[in-house]
Amino acid sequence: MSRIILKATNISKQYRLGLVGTGTISHDLNRWWHRIRGKEDPFLKVGDVNDRSTKATSDYVWALQDINFEVKEGEVLGIIGKNGAGKSTLLKILSRVTSPTTGEIKTKGRIASLLEVGTGFHPELTGRENIFLNGAILGMTKAEIKAKQDEIIEFSGCARYVDTPVKRYSSGMRVRLAFAVAAFLEPDILVIDEVLAVGDAEFQKKAIGKMQDISKGEGRTVLFVSHDMNAIVQLTERVIVLKHGKVHFVGETDLAINEYLIADQSELQYVNNTPSEVPQIKKITINTSLPGNIHEFGKELDIDFEISLPHKVENLALAFQVIDEYQNAITHVWRMDSDHETVREKGNYKFKCVFNKSRLYMGNYSLRVFLSNSKSKQRFDYIESTCNFKVEMMKTNRTAYNWQKGACKYIEDSVWKIEKDL
């Protein structure tokens, strides 16, 4: 039976918005006075929930609240959630980069962290020197690091530049070398944030393969944060879903991804009431054919957009992708203003996109939306994932074929012709 190698108990993290510490001498003195008397921090009782879509009503915000979980030796645990859910904050606490406001982390063994591109690298040192520096930070001896350095350099693909200062590396080269150092210097727990996205497709494939070897072949533990649901599916069997700084769900990967997409029913409609000086998407509504965000295959599907323009705009482009549960784009649709025909004056506009006969196969989907200038490529607004909906193959559509979940993503109309062999 696998032992517990990491345990998080009642982890919470509070920040004061816009300022360092509590922001005032009176608040700091108040905290100190409570602490020396053995009293609870008075500011632990105040603070907003970590929801970036709402306006703050307090100077304090809880980035994380009451996080509890355990990780077994050799397990790859996925951590997913929307931007601002608290994923990176949690990993920084686990990596001892920052301390929790309340709670404690218990671990057994060494932890290596890859939280940002080139974490822990000194820009003036060469790649080779940084390998030894990072190894020393991890508690490795010089002999242990030297025994691994050739493997690290080969895996990173940076052999030609390994004696060049890291400040001259591209972001892709830095993340390659940083991952190789973290993976090959044999930490007991490897903590990886959304950094693999910086690498190219070849490196991402190598990195995923190496993480599989680390966990299954070498029995080490990996904590992996990513928005790439394909990588999450390949690497993990268990996933934590964070929402507004709290654990929303812990369980099997497929169930967790489903919860990640349908967790908030209010997300059937996107609304942004925050004032902006640049063109902005104010509202998105997806009109499914059935209640409860369910859409029937083959039925009309329409999507309404409300756009606010604080000034005159030429070449306005509104585009969106329908994406699946793994964040893969299934179809891309756009509406562009021609620079010869349309100049949008200041004001609010409504757009409607209609799929007369939606051919999305059954599964979970959402929208990824872009608002930009089609000529200059300036991006005004971007919504990563919103308006979750589910497509079902209803009984009225079924014939002799028994529809199977995951068989495909899209069904195209087609006509078959049978020709006799000549």
Side-chain angles (χ1 to χ4, degrees):
M1 186 175 180
S2 299
R3 64 169 181 158
I4 300 300
I5 195 169
L6 185 150
K7 184 175 182 179
T9 306
N10 299 325
I11 297 298
S12 297
K13 182 66 177 179
Q14 187 188 66
Y15 290 106
R16 180 177 172 87
L17 296 176
L19 296 169
V20 176
T22 53
T24 64
I25 294 176
S26 63
H27 284 188
D28 287 338
L29 288 174
N30 195 359
R31 276 185 157 163
W32 171 80
W33 180 239
H34 277 74
R35 186 168 63 249
I36 64 171
R37 291 185 300 150
K39 302 290 185 180
E40 184 182 16
D41 188 331
F43 296 100
L44 296 183
K45 298 178 182 178
V46 299
D48 286 328
V49 173
N50 182 17
D51 185 354
R52 62 192 174 93
S53 66
T54 61
K55 186 177 180 180
T57 58
S58 168
D59 290 336
Y60 299 90
V61 64
W62 288 102
L64 294 171
Q65 277 189 294
D66 300 323
I67 306 294
N68 295 275
F69 64 91
E70 295 178 345
V71 187
K72 294 180 180 179
E73 187 176 29
E75 181 179 12
V76 181
L77 178 70
I79 303 175
I80 62 177
K82 297 189 181 299
N83 289 339
K87 304 183 298 297
S88 295
T89 300
L90 177 58
L91 293 194
K92 287 176 181 177
I93 291 174
L94 296 174
S95 304
R96 305 289 198 269
V97 174
T98 186
S99 58
T101 305
T102 65
E104 63 176 355
I105 303 288
K106 293 183 179 179
T107 62
K108 297 177 181 178
R110 292 181 299 213
I111 298 179
S113 301
L114 191 55
L115 303 181
E116 295 175 5
V117 176
T119 302
F121 277 12
H122 193 297
E124 299 296 335
L125 299 181
T126 66
R128 192 185 305 275
E129 290 167 338
N130 271 294
I131 291 173
F132 282 86
L133 174 63
N134 273 253
I137 291 171
L138 288 173
M140 309 287 288
T141 66
K142 187 174 181 179
E144 288 176 308
I145 301 168
K146 194 169 183 178
K148 292 284 184 179
Q149 72 166 323
D150 289 342
E151 291 180 272
I152 292 170
I153 294 168
E154 182 182 357
F155 185 89
S156 70
C158 299
R160 185 176 182 181
Y161 307 100
V162 74
D163 292 311
T164 300
V166 165
K167 66 181 180 181
R168 297 195 175 97
Y169 284 20
S170 68
S171 58
M173 289 171 61
R174 285 198 297 272
V175 78
R176 279 172 170 266
L177 187 59
F179 179 85
V181 170
F184 279 89
L185 291 182
E186 299 184 351
D188 298 289
I189 303 171
L190 180 59
V191 178
I192 302 178
D193 202 348
E194 184 74 77
V195 293
L196 298 185
V198 178
D200 56 27
E202 177 194 359
F203 176 69
Q204 289 179 32
K205 185 177 180 180
K206 284 176 62 177
I208 289 172
K210 181 60 181 175
M211 282 189 280
Q212 289 173 331
D213 292 341
I214 286 172
S215 61
K216 296 177 182 177
E218 303 172 26
R220 286 183 277 152
T221 303
V222 179
L223 302 183
F224 181 53
V225 164
S226 181
H227 289 291
D228 183 350
M229 295 299 113
N230 278 322
I232 291 290
V233 167
Q234 289 182 58
L235 285 170
T236 69
E237 294 182 357
R238 193 166 67 97
V239 171
I240 295 174
V241 181
L242 293 180
K243 179 183 174 186
H244 303 327
K246 298 181 179 181
V247 173
H248 175 74
F249 180 86
V250 182
E252 294 179 6
T253 299
D254 288 346
L255 297 176
I257 290 173
N258 188 59
E259 284 292 328
Y260 167 63
L261 290 175
I262 66 173
D264 191 345
Q265 291 299 308
S266 67
E267 292 180 5
L268 294 173
Q269 185 180 77
Y270 171 86
V271 178
N272 184 0
N273 293 319
T274 306
S276 174
E277 296 181 358
V278 297
Q280 188 179 47
I281 302 165
K282 303 300 291 184
K283 188 176 180 180
I284 306 170
T285 305
I286 186 164
N287 303 297
T288 55
S289 60
L290 296 170
N293 78 324
I294 304 297
H295 185 70
E296 183 178 350
F297 171 82
K299 300 291 185 180
E300 179 181 299
L301 177 67
D302 57 87
I303 305 165
D304 296 320
F305 299 88
E306 294 185 17
I307 308 298
S308 174
L309 304 183
H311 52 75
K312 182 172 68 174
V313 177
E314 297 182 8
N315 310 308
L316 185 70
L318 172 63
F320 70 91
Q321 296 172 336
V322 176
I323 58 177
D324 67 9
E325 62 265 41
Y326 306 126
Q327 309 298 293
N328 294 316
I330 306 305
T331 185
H332 193 116
V333 185
W334 58 88
R335 200 290 179 199
M336 291 186 182
D337 290 341
S338 167
D339 53 357
H340 300 297
E341 297 176 0
T342 307
V343 176
R344 300 267 170 196
E345 299 295 333
K346 175 181 177 181
N348 298 318
Y349 295 84
K350 292 184 179 181
F351 297 86
K352 179 186 287 288
C353 180
V354 178
F355 296 97
N356 291 319
K357 192 176 182 181
S358 174
R359 311 299 295 178
L360 291 169
Y361 190 72
M362 65 178 183
N364 296 308
Y365 300 92
S366 57
L367 303 180
R368 181 184 291 143
V369 189
F370 313 82
L371 187 67
S372 61
N373 183 311
S374 62
K375 191 172 184 179
S376 69
K377 308 303 181 184
Q378 178 187 1
R379 180 178 289 180
F380 300 129
D381 203 357
Y382 169 70
I383 303 164
E384 177 186 341
S385 178
T386 190
C387 296
N388 305 314
F389 67 102
K390 186 176 184 180
V391 174
E392 293 282 8
M393 310 290 288
M394 307 306 288
K395 291 181 179 179
T396 53
N397 284 338
R398 298 192 183 199
T399 57
Y401 179 70
N402 181 24
W403 302 109
Q404 297 293 324
K405 182 179 179 181
C408 62
K409 292 296 182 184
Y410 188 85
I411 296 180
E412 185 58 84
D413 287 329
S414 60
V415 176
W416 285 80
K417 293 181 180 181
I418 301 176
E419 297 181 358
K420 185 178 179 180
D421 290 339
L422 299 176

